[in-house]
Amino acid sequence: MSEAGETSGATLQAVDIARIMQMIPHRYPMLLVDRVVDLIGGESATGIKNVTINEPFFQGHFPSYPVMPGVLIVEAMAQCAGITVIQGLGEAAEGRLVYFMSIEDCRFRKPVQPGDQMRIHVQKVRHRANVWKFSGTAKVDGTLVAEATVTAMILDR
């Protein structure tokens, strides 16, 4: 992390995988964010997912033409949003569960395949109580591959 600190709304240069695992409860094979860059706690972030042939879903989706399932791309957006929220709320919120409430305006533009590096950008749309809404986009090599608006509820365990 950068010298910017960890206060609410602080801009951080990067959050590595070890820190991500402190912030959200997801683990392999469902942890779909490898790194977060340009994080502004509670507001926005860009996450990175390095897509490799070792991903378990490629065994069946599809063996002769491996494509990352769209629902997992949206899940990666939601995880980036969750990391953004937790950073904004501070260390006391780490490990809290995040439940999907809705997925809106979801579009898949291009397949994501092994070898791609997916950059997921999320931006807060609205926040009320423990409900957060984010718009998200996923790009590979600057080309839009998916977009969606996700709403989630942050819960205590």
Side-chain angles (χ1 to χ4, degrees), residues 79-154:
Q79 289 180 20
C80 282
I83 292 163
T84 305
V85 169
I86 297 303
Q87 177 63 31
L89 294 176
E91 285 185 24
E94 290 181 10
R96 290 174 70 181
L97 298 177
V98 181
Y99 290 135
F100 265 128
M101 294 176 67
S102 70
I103 301 168
E104 303 169 61
D105 303 320
C106 187
R107 303 274 189 275
F108 301 105
R109 308 290 183 184
K110 186 177 176 225
V112 176
Q113 299 177 297
D116 287 343
Q117 183 182 75
M118 191 168 59
R119 289 191 165 256
I120 307 128
H121 181 75
V122 293
Q123 176 72 48
K124 181 182 77 174
V125 173
R126 182 173 45 245
H127 164 231
R128 291 190 189 140
N130 63 340
V131 176
W132 297 73
K133 186 174 196 171
F134 279 81
S135 64
T137 59
K139 295 181 178 182
V140 172
D141 295 329
T143 300
L144 184 67
V145 296
E147 57 192 320
T149 301
V150 297
T151 304
M153 180 182 297
I154 311 294

Side-chain angles (χ1 to χ4, degrees), residues 11-52:
T11 301
L12 302 176
Q13 293 304 311
V15 178
D16 65 17
I17 191 67
R19 183 74 180 108
I20 289 169
M21 289 172 54
Q22 290 175 335
M23 297 173 87
I24 61 175
H26 303 78
R27 296 296 178 266
Y28 179 84
M30 286 305 297
L31 181 56
L32 299 173
V33 180
D34 296 323
R35 183 174 202 70
V36 177
V37 297
D38 301 326
L39 173 61
I40 301 173
E43 295 297 325
S44 66
T46 301
I48 296 172
K49 169 63 178 158
N50 294 306
V51 182
T52 70

